[in-house]
Each structure stands twice: as structure tokens, then as C-alpha cells.
Amino acid sequence: MAAVASLSFSALRQCSDRKSVISSTWNLAYNSEGLRLRTSFSCNNGGVRASSSSSRMLIHCMSGAPTVADTKLNFLKAYKRPIPSVYNTVLQELIVQQHLIKYKKSYRYDPVFALGFVTVFDQLMDGYPSDEDREAIFQAYIKALNEDPEQYRIDAQKLEEWARAQTSSSLVEFPSREGEIEGTLKDIAERAASKGSFSYSRFFAVGLFRLLELANATEPTILEKLCAALNIDKRSVDRDLDVYRNLLSKLVQAKELLKEYVAREKKKREERVESQKANEAVTK
């Protein structure tokens, strides 16, 4: 991705291949291990099946930690209603990825990660039939990971409010300034510099981009400067934002197909009702 301006949450390109599927987009990759985890899921009211060629090696990276199956079961217990497949397919992949991030030894919650996840979740669930159900799914998802959904929302909101008050210059000058958010970013920079106490992820990359977007920092060099200030590898961020753009593009496509399907089914039902009424009128 040559420039940060090439990404936009509000203006997404449609995929050229309308038959492509979402589930292969958000591949689960781990930088230091050089491993790629590909999963396939089947989720029904009766339960969940998961298959993976490399998950067994990764899932047990921390002794005594819950397994992916435990986390997914916690989610299903907390939210028992069926979820349309266009949303559920990606949700299932995200919860596996976030489980593996959460139970790495280097994991430590931070607000930028939270902002990234909240952004991904809200974009994924945009247009969900019920606002109440959407929030219930969010609560169940985060609690399944033994974390606090309220903290995610609060920290994401704080970062969004802070970013809206920034300029391109002030955004990258946080090391020389004082404040709650500045302190959070300094802590992340210190941990990222030490390598052992920071776990980079795609959610973190999306959180960074969201900060840039809200600060209207569209210059290509700003992302590079922000990554340098945070001691984050910009190449990883560029790659992961590209993946995220692709995910959103395919979601737009899938949701459009879903709308078309719903509209067709509605029209068929109306036609059946009209035909039934006409037949009843003839027989009278």
C-alpha cells in the first residue's frame, strides 16, 4: 500500500470477482513464528466444528490457557441465536485469531488494539438486522475471551475523541507531550522497542489507521512517522491494512448479494400471496 490515503472506510472498491468468498480473506498469520493458520468452520444451532492444519501447535502455546474450542463454546453459550452466515463466517475467524493473540505470552491489552478491534467489528456488523443483537454479539464475543467489553468501548471512544482533536503534526509528536492518551502511546512505544512485552497484530494496525483517519492525516509520510514513533514495523502495518481493505471490499459484496437474495425472496412471497388471493377469488 503506497499511501495511507489509498484506504478509506467510507469508499470501498467492489471486488472484480463476485464469486469470491470472505472466509479466506482474514488469514491468521503470526509474524515471529512465520506460521499461517487457515481454518474452516461450520456453525449451526447444534454446535461448531473447526479444522486446522497447524492450530494444535499454536493453541497450546501457553500452559493451562483455554483452547480455541473453549473460547468458541463460551461465545455460543453467551449468544445462542443464529447469526447470518455473511457475518458469522468472519466472526468465527476473528475469534480464533483473537484467541491466539490473547493467550500469547507477550500479549498485553492496550487501547489501540481495542480501537482496532472495535473498528473491525463495527464495520463487519454494519447493517446487521438488529442493533440490540449486534451489541449482544459484541458483549458475548469479548467476554468469551475473558476480557471486558465495556473497557473496549470506553478506550476506543477515548482514542477517537483524542484523534479528532489532533493534526498530522501533533499526532506524531506524542512523545514530547503529556496526557492520558500520550502516556498510553508512550507505553506502547517502550514495550514495542523491547520486543518481548509487545504483541503486534492486525487489530493494532487497524487502530493506527483509525487514528490517522480521524485526525484527517492523509499525507503518506504520517503513517511512516507514527510507526517510527511507536517502534512498529511499517511494512507489517501496510500489509495488514491491505488485507483489511480486501476484507471490507468482500463484505460489501457479500452484503449486497444478501440484500438481493432477501429482495428476491420477498418478491416471491408477495407473488405467492397475490396468486393465492386470485385463486380464492375465482373459486368464490
Side-chain angles (χ1 to χ4, degrees):
M1 184 176 62
V4 71
S6 67
L7 281 175
S8 172
F9 292 145
S10 58
L12 296 170
R13 295 183 304 170
Q14 292 289 335
C15 291
S16 59
D17 181 7
R18 290 186 61 83
K19 293 184 179 179
S20 60
V21 295
I22 300 169
S23 60
S24 63
T25 303
W26 192 269
N27 289 324
L28 312 180
Y30 285 81
N31 301 325
S32 60
E33 293 86 354
L35 294 172
R36 182 172 298 275
L37 174 65
R38 295 179 180 273
T39 57
S40 61
F41 295 97
S42 174
C43 182
N44 301 304
N45 292 339
V48 176
R49 297 190 303 273
S51 63
S52 169
S53 59
S54 58
S55 60
R56 282 188 288 275
M57 178 166 54
L58 288 172
I59 290 170
H60 298 292
C61 61
M62 289 182 64
S63 178
T67 65
V68 169
D70 293 333
T71 296
K72 290 176 66 62
L73 183 60
N74 288 340
F75 174 72
L76 291 173
K77 286 179 178 178
Y79 190 82
K80 297 181 173 64
R81 301 186 65 182
I83 300 173
S85 61
V86 66
Y87 302 98
N88 192 50
T89 301
V90 182
L91 273 176
Q92 298 299 335
E93 291 202 0
L94 292 182
I95 201 167
V96 172
Q97 180 180 16
Q98 197 161 348
H99 171 98
L100 297 175
I101 293 169
K102 165 72 188 294
Y103 293 107
K104 288 178 70 175
K105 291 181 180 179
S106 58
Y107 173 77
R108 178 174 158 187
Y109 170 89
D110 70 65
V112 177
F113 177 93
L115 175 61
F117 173 75
V118 168
T119 300
V120 170
F121 182 88
D122 288 346
Q123 289 289 326
L124 165 63
M125 302 300 286
D126 181 46
Y128 199 77
S130 166
D131 291 342
E132 183 179 347
D133 285 345
R134 181 170 60 240
E135 184 56 28
I137 291 169
F138 179 84
Q139 295 278 330
Y141 181 107
I142 299 298
K143 288 179 179 177
L145 291 157
N146 295 313
E147 292 194 311
D148 183 359
E150 299 305 325
Q151 184 180 20
Y152 270 73
R153 288 290 187 191
I154 290 170
D155 287 344
Q157 184 177 356
K158 284 182 179 179
L159 274 175
E160 288 178 340
E161 292 173 353
W162 177 83
R164 288 189 182 98
Q166 304 307 307
T167 63
S168 296
S169 298
S170 66
L171 189 66
V172 299
E173 292 171 353
F174 70 85
S176 62
R177 297 164 53 199
E178 298 298 325
E180 180 183 359
I181 303 302
E182 287 82 357
T184 295
L185 296 177
K186 289 176 190 178
D187 176 66
I188 291 171
E190 290 175 4
R191 291 190 290 112
S194 68
K195 305 297 182 183
S197 59
F198 178 78
S199 182
Y200 170 81
S201 72
R202 286 176 177 164
F203 295 119
F204 187 89
V206 175
L208 286 186
F209 179 72
R210 184 64 174 150
L211 292 178
L212 295 175
E213 184 186 47
L214 292 171
N216 292 315
T218 58
E219 301 91 334
T221 58
I222 300 302
L223 177 60
E224 183 175 359
K225 291 178 180 178
L226 183 58
C227 288
L230 289 166
N231 297 310
I232 302 297
D233 182 7
K234 181 179 178 291
R235 290 172 299 179
S236 296
V237 174
D238 284 341
R239 181 193 64 232
D240 290 338
L241 290 179
D242 233 8
V243 171
Y244 181 57
R245 178 183 62 182
N246 194 23
L247 171 70
L248 292 185
S249 296
K250 290 185 177 182
L251 278 171
V252 168
Q253 171 205 353
K255 289 177 183 180
E256 285 300 318
L257 292 174
L258 180 62
K259 286 181 182 178
E260 293 173 7
Y261 171 78
V262 171
R264 285 197 304 270
E265 291 302 305
K266 182 180 178 181
K267 184 177 180 181
K268 288 178 181 178
R269 286 196 300 270
E270 291 173 348
E271 289 175 348
R272 285 196 295 269
V273 170
E274 290 299 320
S275 177
Q276 184 178 0
K277 287 181 179 179
N279 290 336
E280 290 175 352
V282 170
T283 57
K284 287 182 179 179

